[in-house]
Structure formats: C-alpha cells, structure tokens
C-alpha cells in the first residue's frame, strides 16, 4: 500500500503539490478570518470548488475521466460543504 | 453591540465599556472587560482568554471583587453571531457598596409586593437566578462530533478500500477517484473544523 502511495506521488508530483498548497492556503485563510462566519464559509466554498476542479483536471490530463468519477468528487465535496456549513452558518 | 452593529471595546460613537458600567449604577475603583466572538464551545473561550497575556491578567487580577457575564446570540453585520462579554470590577468605596446593597433590597421588597401576573418581566431575573437548569443537549457539540465522526469514517473507508484494491491489484483497472486525494482533502477539512470551532477574542 505504501509503495502504491509512493508511486502515485512520484507519478503525479505536481498535482499533489498543487492540492497540498491549496490545502495550506485553506488552513491559513480560515485562521486569518477566524470568527468571521461569512468569510469562513467563502473560504470553505472556494476550497471545495478547487477540489472538484482539481479532481476533474487530474483525471482529464491522465485521460481516464468518467462521469462516475466527477460524481464522486462532487458528492464528497458537497456533503462536506453542507456538513461544515451547518457549523459555520447555523 | 448588536444594536449598534459593532464588536469592539469602544463603540462607533466613542462609547466606552466604563460608561456602560457607570450607567448601570456601578461606580468602580477598578474595572475591566474581556470580549469573545463566535466560539463553538465555552471551554475554548476560557482557554483562549487564559492563553492571552492581557486577558489572563484581567481574569487573575486581585483588585477585582465582582464579575459579570453576558452570552448573547444575535446578528452582527448580517451574520448570526455569538458574543461573550466578561466584565470585572471593584466598587468605588464601601459606602457605595452599601448603597448598592440597600438599593437592591428595596427592589426585592418591591417585587414581593407586586403580584406575579401584573409584572412578570420585573420578576423574571430573580426567578431565573433561582431556577435550577436541567442539562440540555449541546447542539454545537453534537454537530462538531458528528462532522468529525463522519470525516473519520470516510477516511477509514478510503484506507480499507485502498488496501484491498492494492492487494487485489485492481487499483488501475477501476474507474474511481483518487483515494489519496480524497484523504488529503478530508484531512484539511478536519483541521479546518477545529479552526472553525475557535472564535476570536478581544
């Protein structure tokens, strides 16, 4: 399993670096706008949107995009957006 | 603060916390104020104050003899907001303290003479003060735990799925998203959840 992860990271280094960078910016922005609920939600929405676009882009350039895959990224993104939204904007 | 739509020690028209204290009939020798906004849990408010040098000094200052709290939900700049105000004080003199006590005793006598049905609002604070509150379900705690639990279960599912798929050698054959990417995404959201639960102090 570890070998698979190493291979995956080595093969798609740029893609994962991009995702990690976005994640770090997400954490920094949340910390910066702590206590400002609307801004926290906008930051969350931006990160979820980025993630879905990242997923689609990643599969397009490696030529194995499928509707099922798009749905998977959209479902994971929006379920978590909804769950965290309940906490940020009750 | 909700009425004038601000969150600061000083109001938009230059109002100070000391004016509020004096207007309430409390003449002080020492007074202090701590503020907090949009914390999900009460214990985080206290720990944030205790981790801040100036707020900690306020809490531990020996000069203060009285304390008052206000925890209010409202709308600030169009957003649902929870504000916490912590006031500290020491009355200006013993004579003044006596006056305040006498004043309160007069109010208590007056309340006893008024029938409940005629003035329920004037009696409300006294009734609330004596009321034993039953423990209620902490909605924020439930939502936070639910979110964290959901993320943890999803991460665990991804690990198990990835483990079996790699063991069976079908990782490259199936049309699915990348488990590693989902895992990273969920990890950042879990960290974000902890940041969101912490508000800001002033």
């Amino acid at each position: 399993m570890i070998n698979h992860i190493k291979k995956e990271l080595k093969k798609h280094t740029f893609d994962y670096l991009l995702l990690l960078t976005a994640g770090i910016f997400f954490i920094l922005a949340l910390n910066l706008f702590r206590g400002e609920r609307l801004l926290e939600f906008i930051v969350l929405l931006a990160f979820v949107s980025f993630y879905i676009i990242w997923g689609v882009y990643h599969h397009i350039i490696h030529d194995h995009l499928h509707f099922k895959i798009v749905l998977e990224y959209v479902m994971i993104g929006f379920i978590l957006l909804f769950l965290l939204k309940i906490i940020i904007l009750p | 603060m909700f009425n004038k739509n601000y969150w600061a020690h000083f109001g938009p028209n230059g109002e100070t916390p000391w004016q509020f204290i004096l207007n309430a009939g409390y003449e002080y020798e020492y007074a202090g104020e701590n503020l907090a906004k949009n914390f999900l849990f009460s214990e985080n408010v206290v720990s944030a104050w205790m981790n801040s040098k100036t707020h900690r000094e306020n809490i531990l200052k020996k000069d203060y003899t009285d304390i008052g709290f206000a925890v209010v939900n409202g709308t600030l700049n169009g957003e649902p907001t929870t504000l916490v105000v912590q006031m500290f004080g020491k009355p200006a003199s013993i004579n003044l303290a006596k006056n305040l006590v006498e004043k309160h005793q007069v109010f208590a006598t007056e309340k006893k003479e008024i029938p409940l049905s005629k003035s329920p609002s004037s009696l409300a604070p006294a009734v609330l003060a004596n009321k034993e509150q039953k423990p209620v379900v902490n909605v924020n705690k439930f939502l936070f735990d639910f979110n964290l639990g959901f993320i943890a279960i999803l991460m665990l599912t991804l690990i198990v799925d990835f483990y079996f798929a790699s063991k069976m050698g079908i990782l490259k054959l199936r049309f699915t998203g990348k488990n590693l990417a989902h895992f990273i995404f969920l990890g950042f959201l879990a960290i974000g959840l902890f940041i969101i639960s912490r508000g800001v102090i002033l």
Side-chain angles (χ1 to χ4, degrees):
Chain A
M1 198 164 94
I2 302 293
N3 283 339
H4 276 292
I5 294 172
K6 277 182 184 172
K7 271 184 198 170
E8 176 75 9
L9 288 174
K10 208 173 176 181
K11 199 174 168 188
H12 310 294
T13 311
F14 173 76
D15 292 6
Y16 283 101
L17 269 179
L18 194 67
L19 184 63
L20 283 172
T21 310
I24 289 164
F25 272 108
F26 165 67
I27 297 300
L28 290 175
L30 271 189
N31 215 24
L32 186 70
F33 300 124
R34 208 151 33 101
E36 303 294 329
R37 287 183 165 164
L38 192 64
L39 289 172
E40 281 178 343
F41 178 69
I42 291 169
V43 169
L44 175 70
L45 185 68
F47 184 54
V48 169
S49 307
F50 169 84
Y51 176 67
I52 294 167
I53 294 165
W54 180 93
V56 174
Y57 151 83
H58 177 81
H59 287 272
I60 284 176
I61 59 164
H62 298 293
D63 208 25
H64 46 86
L65 186 70
H66 190 276
F67 176 71
K68 217 173 75 176
I69 293 172
V70 178
L71 200 66
E72 186 180 320
Y73 282 93
V74 171
M75 288 289 278
I76 290 180
F78 275 89
I79 288 170
L80 285 151
L81 177 74
F82 174 72
L83 285 176
L84 266 76
K85 189 256 167 204
I86 296 171
I87 287 185
I88 298 172
L89 296 170
Chain B
M1 286 181 189
F2 284 124
N3 287 342
K4 294 190 176 174
N5 203 33
Y6 76 97
W7 183 68
H9 288 296
F10 299 95
N13 301 321
E15 302 95 336
T16 67
W18 328 128
Q19 282 176 319
F20 296 131
I21 298 173
L22 291 171
N23 290 345
Y26 187 101
E27 286 200 32
Y28 61 88
E29 192 179 339
Y30 296 101
E33 184 187 61
N34 283 345
L35 299 176
K37 185 173 86 165
N38 283 341
F39 276 82
L40 212 58
F41 307 117
S42 306
E43 54 264 34
N44 287 352
V45 178
V46 178
S47 62
W49 277 335
M50 291 305 275
N51 290 333
S52 153
K53 196 190 166 198
T54 50
H55 295 90
R56 186 187 164 89
E57 275 173 8
N58 250 351
I59 292 170
L60 300 178
K61 201 169 181 178
K62 286 177 184 171
D63 294 326
Y64 299 135
T65 54
D66 298 329
I67 189 170
F69 289 96
V71 183
V72 186
N73 289 323
T75 306
L76 199 72
N77 296 322
E79 295 171 22
T81 305
T82 305
L83 293 184
V84 183
V85 180
Q86 188 182 40
M87 290 275 197
F88 305 95
K90 183 184 181 181
S93 67
I94 297 166
N95 288 338
L96 181 79
K98 271 186 183 175
N99 287 341
L100 282 170
V101 171
E102 281 166 13
K103 211 174 167 184
H104 281 293
Q105 281 172 342
V106 171
F107 283 146
T109 316
E110 280 173 355
K111 279 174 194 166
K112 275 183 186 173
E113 286 167 5
I114 300 166
L116 196 80
S117 57
K118 283 186 180 174
S119 179
S121 59
S122 64
L123 280 175
V127 172
L128 280 174
N130 296 327
K131 202 174 172 181
E132 276 186 32
Q133 287 192 338
K134 289 177 186 173
V136 289
V137 177
N138 188 336
V139 180
N140 286 341
K141 178 96 179 106
F142 171 77
L143 286 174
F144 182 84
D145 290 346
F146 182 81
N147 269 270
L148 210 58
F150 185 85
I151 291 173
I153 289 169
L154 210 54
M155 284 172 111
L156 196 70
T157 310
L158 289 169
I159 292 172
V160 171
D161 175 65
F162 192 77
Y163 173 75
F164 282 108
S166 63
K167 207 174 178 184
M168 292 161 79
I170 55 166
L171 266 177
K172 286 175 185 175
L173 300 174
R174 56 189 196 161
F175 278 100
T176 60
K178 293 290 172 78
N179 283 20
L180 185 60
H182 294 326
F183 197 83
I184 293 168
F185 175 67
L186 291 169
F188 279 118
L189 286 187
I191 298 167
L193 190 61
F194 280 99
I195 296 171
I196 289 164
S197 75
R198 295 188 155 269
V200 63
I201 57 168
L202 195 68

